[in-house]
Amino acid sequence: MNRHYGQISQRVKQLTHAFDTDLKMKPVPEVLDQWEHDVQRLIEETPEVEIKNQLSKWQLGMYAGVSRNVMQGKTKLYFTDATSFNFGFSFDVKKSRFSWDMNLGFNRTVDYFERRGVWEPGTKANLATFEFTYGRKLQRQDWLWVPYAGLGVNEFTPRGNDDNDRRNLTGYVPVVGLEITRYLKYTIHPGQRSGVFCKTRLSASPTTFFTNFTGTHLNLRLAIGFDAARVKKEMAYVKKNVVI
Protein backbone atom coordinates (compact mmCIF):
# COMPACT_ATOMS: atom_id res chain seq x y z
CA MET A 1 0.00 0.00 0.00
CA ASN A 2 2.85 2.39 0.83
CA ARG A 3 4.50 1.63 -2.51
CA HIS A 4 1.27 2.28 -4.46
CA TYR A 5 0.58 5.46 -2.51
CA GLY A 6 4.11 6.74 -3.22
CA GLN A 7 3.74 6.03 -6.94
CA ILE A 8 0.38 7.87 -7.05
CA SER A 9 1.74 10.87 -5.11
CA GLN A 10 4.74 11.10 -7.44
CA ARG A 11 2.53 10.94 -10.52
CA VAL A 12 0.23 13.68 -9.18
CA LYS A 13 3.25 15.91 -8.44
CA GLN A 14 4.52 15.41 -12.00
CA LEU A 15 1.15 16.31 -13.52
CA THR A 16 0.79 19.35 -11.26
CA HIS A 17 4.26 20.60 -12.19
CA ALA A 18 3.57 20.09 -15.91
CA PHE A 19 0.27 21.91 -15.61
CA ASP A 20 1.84 24.90 -13.82
CA THR A 21 4.62 25.06 -16.43
CA ASP A 22 2.21 24.97 -19.40
CA LEU A 23 -0.05 27.61 -17.87
CA LYS A 24 2.85 29.98 -17.12
CA MET A 25 4.23 29.60 -20.64
CA LYS A 26 0.86 30.09 -22.32
CA PRO A 27 -1.86 31.45 -20.00
CA VAL A 28 -4.83 31.06 -22.38
CA PRO A 29 -8.17 29.19 -22.04
CA GLU A 30 -7.10 26.64 -24.64
CA VAL A 31 -4.45 25.29 -22.24
CA LEU A 32 -7.07 24.73 -19.54
CA ASP A 33 -9.37 23.01 -22.04
CA GLN A 34 -6.60 20.68 -23.18
CA TRP A 35 -5.63 19.78 -19.62
CA GLU A 36 -9.26 19.15 -18.71
CA HIS A 37 -9.51 16.78 -21.68
CA ASP A 38 -6.26 14.99 -20.77
CA VAL A 39 -7.19 14.55 -17.09
CA GLN A 40 -10.64 13.29 -18.08
CA ARG A 41 -8.99 10.72 -20.37
CA LEU A 42 -6.61 9.58 -17.62
CA ILE A 43 -9.49 9.09 -15.21
CA GLU A 44 -11.52 7.16 -17.79
CA GLU A 45 -8.51 4.87 -18.34
CA THR A 46 -8.38 4.07 -14.63
CA PRO A 47 -10.88 1.21 -14.09
CA GLU A 48 -10.94 1.64 -10.31
CA VAL A 49 -12.36 5.17 -10.56
CA GLU A 50 -15.76 6.35 -11.79
CA ILE A 51 -16.67 10.02 -12.34
CA LYS A 52 -20.15 11.11 -11.28
CA ASN A 53 -21.85 14.46 -11.86
CA GLN A 54 -23.32 15.70 -8.60
CA LEU A 55 -26.06 18.34 -9.04
CA SER A 56 -26.50 21.20 -6.62
CA LYS A 57 -29.56 21.37 -4.38
CA TRP A 58 -31.16 24.15 -6.44
CA GLN A 59 -31.77 25.02 -10.09
CA LEU A 60 -33.48 27.73 -12.13
CA GLY A 61 -35.78 27.37 -15.13
CA MET A 62 -37.57 29.56 -17.66
CA TYR A 63 -40.24 28.72 -20.24
CA ALA A 64 -42.64 30.29 -22.76
CA GLY A 65 -45.52 29.00 -24.85
CA VAL A 66 -49.26 29.21 -25.47
CA SER A 67 -52.28 28.32 -23.37
CA ARG A 68 -56.01 27.88 -23.52
CA ASN A 69 -58.27 29.16 -20.75
CA VAL A 70 -61.60 27.32 -20.65
CA MET A 71 -64.44 28.98 -18.72
CA GLN A 72 -66.86 27.03 -16.56
CA GLY A 73 -69.92 27.94 -14.49
CA LYS A 74 -71.56 31.34 -14.79
CA THR A 75 -68.36 32.91 -16.11
CA LYS A 76 -68.96 30.94 -19.33
CA LEU A 77 -72.33 32.70 -19.75
CA TYR A 78 -70.56 36.06 -20.11
CA PHE A 79 -67.12 35.36 -21.60
CA THR A 80 -65.77 33.11 -24.33
CA ASP A 81 -62.74 30.90 -23.79
CA ALA A 82 -59.38 32.68 -24.18
CA THR A 83 -56.21 31.88 -26.10
CA SER A 84 -53.16 33.18 -24.25
CA PHE A 85 -49.44 33.74 -24.34
CA ASN A 86 -47.70 31.92 -21.50
CA PHE A 87 -44.48 32.77 -19.69
CA GLY A 88 -43.02 31.56 -16.42
CA PHE A 89 -40.12 30.83 -14.08
CA SER A 90 -39.33 27.95 -11.75
CA PHE A 91 -36.99 27.68 -8.79
CA ASP A 92 -36.17 24.21 -7.46
CA VAL A 93 -34.76 23.33 -4.06
CA LYS A 94 -34.07 19.61 -3.80
CA LYS A 95 -37.45 17.94 -4.56
CA SER A 96 -39.49 21.13 -4.20
CA ARG A 97 -40.48 23.40 -7.09
CA PHE A 98 -41.69 27.01 -6.75
CA SER A 99 -43.26 28.42 -9.94
CA TRP A 100 -44.41 31.85 -11.10
CA ASP A 101 -46.70 31.45 -14.13
CA MET A 102 -48.20 34.30 -16.19
CA ASN A 103 -50.72 34.40 -19.04
CA LEU A 104 -52.15 37.15 -21.22
CA GLY A 105 -55.21 36.02 -23.16
CA PHE A 106 -57.71 37.46 -25.60
CA ASN A 107 -61.47 36.80 -25.72
CA ARG A 108 -64.80 38.65 -25.82
CA THR A 109 -68.08 38.97 -23.93
CA VAL A 110 -71.10 36.83 -24.79
CA ASP A 111 -73.93 38.57 -22.97
CA TYR A 112 -74.80 42.00 -21.56
CA PHE A 113 -74.02 42.76 -17.91
CA GLU A 114 -73.12 45.72 -15.71
CA ARG A 115 -70.17 45.85 -13.40
CA ARG A 116 -68.30 49.13 -12.92
CA GLY A 117 -69.82 50.10 -16.22
CA VAL A 118 -71.65 48.47 -19.10
CA TRP A 119 -70.27 45.43 -20.87
CA GLU A 120 -71.95 45.07 -24.23
CA PRO A 121 -72.10 41.66 -26.00
CA GLY A 122 -69.08 41.23 -28.25
CA THR A 123 -66.83 43.51 -26.20
CA LYS A 124 -63.19 42.53 -26.80
CA ALA A 125 -61.46 41.69 -23.55
CA ASN A 126 -58.08 40.73 -22.09
CA LEU A 127 -57.66 37.95 -19.57
CA ALA A 128 -54.57 38.13 -17.34
CA THR A 129 -53.78 35.23 -15.00
CA PHE A 130 -51.00 34.87 -12.47
CA GLU A 131 -50.16 31.77 -10.44
CA PHE A 132 -47.64 31.31 -7.64
CA THR A 133 -47.44 27.62 -6.79
CA TYR A 134 -45.51 25.03 -4.83
CA GLY A 135 -45.06 21.49 -6.16
CA ARG A 136 -43.28 18.22 -5.43
CA LYS A 137 -40.99 16.78 -8.11
CA LEU A 138 -41.37 13.16 -9.15
CA GLN A 139 -38.78 12.26 -11.80
CA ARG A 140 -38.00 9.13 -13.74
CA GLN A 141 -35.32 9.33 -16.40
CA ASP A 142 -36.29 12.16 -18.81
CA TRP A 143 -39.86 12.58 -17.48
CA LEU A 144 -40.84 14.85 -14.61
CA TRP A 145 -44.23 15.04 -12.89
CA VAL A 146 -45.01 17.91 -10.51
CA PRO A 147 -48.38 18.02 -8.72
CA TYR A 148 -48.77 21.51 -7.32
CA ALA A 149 -51.04 23.94 -5.46
CA GLY A 150 -50.95 27.64 -4.72
CA LEU A 151 -52.63 31.01 -5.17
CA GLY A 152 -53.60 32.89 -8.31
CA VAL A 153 -55.24 35.99 -9.76
CA ASN A 154 -57.65 36.12 -12.73
CA GLU A 155 -58.58 39.48 -14.20
CA PHE A 156 -60.79 40.59 -17.12
CA THR A 157 -60.35 44.06 -18.61
CA PRO A 158 -61.77 45.63 -21.82
CA ARG A 159 -59.21 45.59 -24.60
CA GLY A 160 -57.88 49.01 -25.52
CA ASN A 161 -59.58 50.76 -22.59
CA ASP A 162 -58.43 54.23 -21.52
CA ASP A 163 -57.38 55.37 -18.04
CA ASN A 164 -60.93 56.46 -17.15
CA ASP A 165 -62.42 53.03 -17.90
CA ARG A 166 -62.77 51.23 -14.58
CA ARG A 167 -64.40 48.10 -15.94
CA ASN A 168 -62.29 45.33 -14.54
CA LEU A 169 -63.15 42.03 -12.89
CA THR A 170 -60.58 40.58 -10.50
CA GLY A 171 -60.71 37.30 -8.62
CA TYR A 172 -58.16 35.94 -6.12
CA VAL A 173 -58.24 32.17 -6.21
CA PRO A 174 -56.70 28.90 -5.00
CA VAL A 175 -54.99 26.86 -7.71
CA VAL A 176 -54.35 23.13 -8.06
CA GLY A 177 -52.74 21.42 -11.02
CA LEU A 178 -50.28 19.00 -12.56
CA GLU A 179 -47.13 19.73 -14.56
CA ILE A 180 -45.63 17.13 -16.92
CA THR A 181 -42.18 17.83 -18.36
CA ARG A 182 -40.22 15.90 -20.98
CA TYR A 183 -36.50 16.71 -21.18
CA LEU A 184 -35.25 16.77 -24.76
CA LYS A 185 -31.55 17.40 -24.25
CA TYR A 186 -28.93 17.79 -21.54
CA THR A 187 -25.68 19.71 -21.93
CA ILE A 188 -22.93 19.58 -19.32
CA HIS A 189 -20.43 22.45 -19.23
CA PRO A 190 -17.66 22.92 -16.66
CA GLY A 191 -19.50 23.59 -13.42
CA GLN A 192 -22.99 23.65 -14.95
CA ARG A 193 -25.66 21.40 -16.43
CA SER A 194 -28.40 22.83 -18.65
CA GLY A 195 -31.47 21.09 -20.01
CA VAL A 196 -33.98 21.83 -22.77
CA PHE A 197 -37.53 20.64 -22.18
CA CYS A 198 -41.15 20.84 -23.27
CA LYS A 199 -43.88 20.91 -20.65
CA THR A 200 -47.63 20.77 -20.15
CA ARG A 201 -49.36 22.43 -17.22
CA LEU A 202 -53.01 21.78 -16.43
CA SER A 203 -54.57 23.74 -13.58
CA ALA A 204 -58.00 24.57 -12.17
CA SER A 205 -58.89 27.77 -10.33
CA PRO A 206 -62.42 28.28 -8.91
CA THR A 207 -62.93 32.04 -9.30
CA THR A 208 -65.46 34.40 -7.76
CA PHE A 209 -65.44 37.83 -9.41
CA PHE A 210 -68.54 39.08 -7.57
CA THR A 211 -71.86 37.69 -6.26
CA ASN A 212 -73.53 35.35 -8.76
CA PHE A 213 -70.55 35.66 -11.10
CA THR A 214 -68.43 32.61 -10.43
CA GLY A 215 -66.87 29.75 -12.33
CA THR A 216 -63.86 27.45 -12.45
CA HIS A 217 -61.14 28.31 -14.96
CA LEU A 218 -59.40 25.33 -16.58
CA ASN A 219 -55.98 26.32 -17.89
CA LEU A 220 -53.98 24.18 -20.33
CA ARG A 221 -50.47 25.33 -21.23
CA LEU A 222 -47.89 24.03 -23.69
CA ALA A 223 -44.40 25.51 -23.44
CA ILE A 224 -40.74 24.97 -24.16
CA GLY A 225 -37.89 26.18 -22.00
CA PHE A 226 -34.56 25.50 -20.36
CA ASP A 227 -33.17 25.16 -16.87
CA ALA A 228 -29.70 25.23 -15.36
CA ALA A 229 -28.06 23.79 -12.27
CA ARG A 230 -24.60 23.90 -10.77
CA VAL A 231 -22.76 20.61 -11.04
CA LYS A 232 -19.53 19.28 -9.63
CA LYS A 233 -17.63 16.15 -10.52
CA GLU A 234 -17.01 13.55 -7.85
CA MET A 235 -14.75 10.49 -8.01
CA ALA A 236 -16.15 7.22 -6.74
CA TYR A 237 -14.05 4.11 -6.30
CA VAL A 238 -15.45 1.03 -8.00
CA LYS A 239 -15.51 -1.99 -5.73
CA LYS A 240 -14.06 -5.17 -7.14
CA ASN A 241 -14.75 -8.72 -6.09
CA VAL A 242 -11.70 -10.29 -4.51
CA VAL A 243 -11.34 -14.03 -4.82
CA ILE A 244 -9.28 -15.76 -2.12
Side-chain angles (χ1 to χ4, degrees):
M1 289 181 62
N2 288 336
R3 178 170 57 84
H4 285 301
Y5 179 76
Q7 292 174 348
I8 293 171
S9 299
Q10 184 64 27
R11 180 57 175 156
V12 170
K13 289 179 181 179
Q14 292 173 353
L15 290 172
T16 303
H17 177 74
F19 170 75
D20 292 338
T21 302
D22 287 351
L23 193 61
K24 289 178 180 179
M25 294 178 59
K26 197 174 182 181
V28 293
E30 288 77 11
V31 173
L32 294 175
D33 294 339
Q34 183 60 45
W35 268 94
E36 181 181 11
H37 178 271
D38 292 342
V39 171
Q40 180 68 28
R41 177 179 53 80
L42 288 172
I43 294 175
E44 292 173 354
E45 293 175 353
T46 305
E48 296 83 5
V49 175
E50 180 182 0
I51 297 297
K52 294 183 178 180
N53 292 315
Q54 181 66 37
L55 294 179
S56 65
K57 296 180 180 181
W58 59 270
Q59 68 180 30
L60 297 173
M62 179 186 299
Y63 58 89
V66 295
S67 66
R68 184 70 172 174
N69 307 96
V70 180
M71 310 302 165
Q72 300 292 321
K74 291 189 176 181
T75 307
K76 190 174 183 65
L77 300 177
Y78 297 101
F79 286 96
T80 63
D81 298 338
T83 300
S84 308
F85 296 109
N86 176 235
F87 186 74
F89 301 92
S90 62
F91 177 70
D92 298 353
V93 181
K94 296 183 179 180
K95 295 293 185 179
S96 299
R97 167 162 290 185
F98 300 90
S99 296
W100 174 245
D101 189 273
M102 299 159 280
N103 291 273
L104 177 60
F106 308 96
N107 62 344
R108 64 181 65 238
T109 57
V110 177
D111 201 358
Y112 171 92
F113 68 95
E114 291 187 20
R115 183 65 178 178
R116 294 184 176 180
V118 176
W119 296 72
E120 297 285 349
T123 301
K124 294 181 179 180
N126 294 327
L127 171 62
T129 67
F130 304 90
E131 295 180 358
F132 181 72
T133 58
Y134 167 81
R136 192 69 175 173
K137 297 166 57 178
L138 306 172
Q139 187 163 6
R140 184 170 183 178
Q141 296 181 348
D142 293 334
W143 289 91
L144 177 67
W145 291 265
V146 185
Y148 62 85
L151 298 175
V153 179
N154 295 327
E155 183 179 64
F156 288 109
T157 55
R159 202 179 313 166
N161 61 329
D162 56 36
D163 295 337
N164 297 323
D165 192 342
R166 299 186 179 277
R167 292 178 296 170
N168 68 292
L169 305 175
T170 304
Y172 300 91
V173 298
V175 176
V176 293
L178 175 66
E179 175 183 312
I180 302 175
T181 299
R182 173 69 163 87
Y183 280 92
L184 305 176
K185 182 181 179 181
Y186 288 111
T187 304
I188 298 180
H189 307 282
Q192 178 179 299
R193 191 203 72 174
S194 59
V196 178
F197 59 80
C198 62
K199 75 164 57 184
T200 298
R201 283 172 62 95
L202 177 62
S203 65
S205 53
T207 309
T208 299
F209 293 101
F210 56 90
T211 305
N212 296 325
F213 197 114
T214 62
T216 299
H217 289 206
L218 300 179
N219 308 305
L220 176 63
R221 306 169 179 87
L222 299 175
I224 59 173
F226 68 92
D227 58 20
R230 300 287 296 175
V231 64
K232 62 179 180 180
K233 295 183 181 293
E234 292 185 347
M235 287 192 298
Y237 290 98
V238 179
K239 294 182 180 180
K240 292 185 176 183
N241 294 327
V242 178
V243 179
I244 300 178

